[in-house]
């Protein structure tokens, strides 16, 4: 066998192995589910699980700065960022008229667990969770949310 043929055969096997590896590694997906739980008393707040159903390409809303100051961000219209396709699941507020309502918290836990279990059945894996709170700053505030983001992959 000539050196030329041997090189051609090796090149074929290397290319074939690369293609086989590409086709065997499935495309990864990433999904975020957001839970917003209101801490506004007496049912005045809005608590929800939000699941965006929209496919979005962030590059359409991204600009680059070359000198650190000049930005073309004004070219990006905020109304174009809004998505219309989402799933919204109602939850109860953390507070009632008398303070923390533990039954509401347990009810929310059951609904959130149901959502997470449905995601697991669909083949998603919970990768990590992050949360934050904007709490009531006193009698004049009357505002506040507890937000949790669950990051899923498959």
């Amino acid at each position: 066998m000539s050196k030329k043929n041997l090189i051609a055969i090796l090149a074929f096997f290397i290319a074939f192995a690369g293609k086989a590896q590409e086709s065997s590694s499935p495309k990864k997906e990433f999904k975020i589910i957001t839970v917003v739980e209101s801490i506004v008393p007496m049912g005045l707040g809005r608590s929800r699980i939000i699941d965006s159903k929209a496919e979005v390409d962030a590059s359409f809303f991204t600009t680059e700065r070359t000198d650190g100051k000049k930005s073309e961000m004004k070219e990006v219209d905020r109304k174009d960022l809004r998505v219309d396709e989402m799933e919204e699941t109602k939850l109860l507020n953390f507070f009632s008229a008398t303070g923390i309502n533990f039954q509401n918290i347990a009810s929310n836990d059951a609904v959130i667990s149901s959502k997470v279990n449905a995601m697991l059945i669909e083949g998603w894996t919970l990768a990590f969770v992050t949360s934050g709170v904007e709490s009531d700053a006193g009698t004049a505030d009357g505002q506040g949310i507890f937000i949790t983001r669950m990051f899923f992959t498959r």
Side-chain angles (χ1 to χ4, degrees), residues 39 41 63 66 69 77 82 98 120 141-142 147 151:
I39 60 170
T63 63
T66 54
K69 294 182 178 144
D77 195 342
R82 298 195 184 277
T98 59
L120 297 174
D141 186 349
I147 188 167
F151 297 81

Side-chain angles (χ1 to χ4, degrees):
M1 181 177 296
S2 73
K3 197 176 197 181
K4 204 180 220 182
N5 287 345
L6 184 59
I7 291 173
I9 290 170
L10 284 172
F12 171 78
F13 280 116
I14 290 170
F16 180 77
K19 290 291 183 190
Q21 188 176 19
E22 285 175 17
S23 64
S24 67
S25 57
K27 179 183 162 191
K28 290 282 186 181
E29 290 181 274
F30 197 71
K31 185 167 188 62
I32 301 171
I33 302 296
T34 300
V35 178
V36 178
E37 293 174 280
S38 173
I39 60 170
V40 177
M42 299 179 6
L44 297 175
R46 297 184 324 169
S47 298
R48 304 281 190 274
I49 299 173
I50 305 297
D51 181 354
S52 176
K53 299 297 184 179
E55 293 284 331
V56 175
D57 184 348
S59 67
F60 291 123
F61 313 113
T62 304
T63 63
E64 293 186 17
R65 293 183 186 209
T66 54
D67 66 358
K69 294 182 178 144
K70 185 176 178 179
S71 172
E72 296 176 4
M73 198 47 65
K74 290 181 182 175
E75 304 298 318
V76 177
D77 195 342
R78 289 183 188 271
K79 69 178 172 70
D80 295 334
L81 289 166
R82 298 195 184 277
V83 298
D84 294 323
E85 303 87 25
M86 69 177 185
E87 181 180 277
E88 189 176 9
T89 305
K90 194 169 197 171
L91 295 172
L92 300 169
N93 295 339
F94 276 169
F95 287 162
S96 63
T98 59
I100 296 174
N101 187 318
F102 295 107
Q103 186 178 18
N104 286 4
I105 293 170
S107 299
N108 286 358
D109 287 352
V111 174
I112 295 165
S113 294
S114 172
K115 178 64 178 177
V116 171
N117 286 334
M119 297 290 292
L120 297 174
I121 289 168
E122 292 174 15
W124 293 97
T125 300
L126 182 60
F128 60 94
V129 177
T130 186
S131 63
V133 66
E134 190 289 312
S135 62
D136 190 329
T139 55
D141 186 349
Q143 302 289 322
I145 60 170
F146 188 80
I147 188 167
T148 304
R149 287 212 162 103
M150 297 178 285
F151 297 81
F152 291 87
T153 61
R154 74 173 169 187

